[in-house]
Every structure is written in structure tokens, then in C-alpha cells.
Amino acid sequence: MADQYHEPAHELSDSTRTLVRMLTSLIEEVEAINWYEQRISIEKDSEAKAILQNAQQEEFKHFGMNLEFLLRKMPTWRATVKEILFKDGDIVELGEKGEEAAE
């Protein structure tokens, strides 16, 4: 898939190409979660809705696995989001702390 690269693919390292694949997968998982959310929102048949919800749960899992892989490979990103995720408080303030932690 050539359109996922902004630089010549053959000039990128193997590790960068892996990151690009995983980032692209993360984006695709978010898109799938969005599509399921919309479908679930309007589905009137309870059995169909349950199936859609189950499928969306799979996408949550895939998203989480992709994100964790990326965070393990990108320490600056991990340091930033570690200060934001799963914490109470003002999200913007936590984001500022995350930026500081990554510096």
C-alpha cells in the first residue's frame, strides 16, 4: 500500500516500515470502531445489535494491542500518554504534564 508512505518506502528502515504498518492498523481499527458505533446506534433488531456490539469489542481488542505495540516501540509517545491515560483530572492539564515528561 504505497499511499501510507510520505517518503520513498525503499529509503525507510525496516523498523520504520513496521511502525507505519502498525500505525496504519491503529487508524483502521479506530475507523472500524466508529463504523460499528454508528451501526449499533441505529440498529433496531436486538440480535443484530448484539452481533455488532460483539464485533466492535474485537476492534477494541485489536486497537489496544496495536497501541501497546506502538507504545513499546516509541518511548517518547509512551512517556507522554502515560501521564494522560487512566487518570482523573483535567485532560488538557494531564496532556501538558505528558509533554513535559517526554522531554
Side-chain angles (χ1 to χ4, degrees):
M1 183 174 189
D3 64 345
Q4 66 186 341
Y5 297 109
H6 293 283
E7 300 296 333
H10 68 277
E11 292 183 24
L12 300 173
S13 68
D14 287 345
S15 62
T16 297
R17 292 174 74 172
T18 294
L19 289 175
V20 168
R21 281 191 288 276
M22 295 303 288
L23 287 162
T24 301
S25 292
L26 189 72
I27 292 165
E28 291 167 350
E29 297 304 337
V30 170
E31 288 176 340
I33 290 166
N34 173 36
W35 298 332
Y36 281 118
E37 190 64 30
Q38 292 178 48
R39 292 171 187 157
I40 291 164
S41 166
I42 63 170
E43 185 52 58
K44 306 241 185 295
D45 183 290
S46 61
E47 188 174 26
K49 189 175 212 164
I51 292 167
L52 293 169
Q53 288 169 325
N54 182 271
Q56 187 185 47
Q57 283 296 109
E58 284 292 309
E59 305 306 341
F60 292 153
K61 177 182 75 173
H62 300 156
F63 175 85
M65 292 186 308
N66 276 288
L67 180 60
E68 182 60 26
F69 177 89
L70 289 162
L71 293 175
R72 290 179 184 186
K73 300 293 183 182
M74 302 173 80
T76 302
W77 191 7
R78 186 176 198 87
T80 301
V81 301
K82 187 177 176 185
E83 298 299 321
I84 303 166
L85 296 178
F86 311 110
K87 296 191 177 188
D88 294 325
D90 184 277
I91 295 170
V92 174
E93 288 178 16
L94 293 170
E96 294 297 324
K97 290 178 185 174
E99 277 186 323
E100 292 169 12
E103 291 175 353

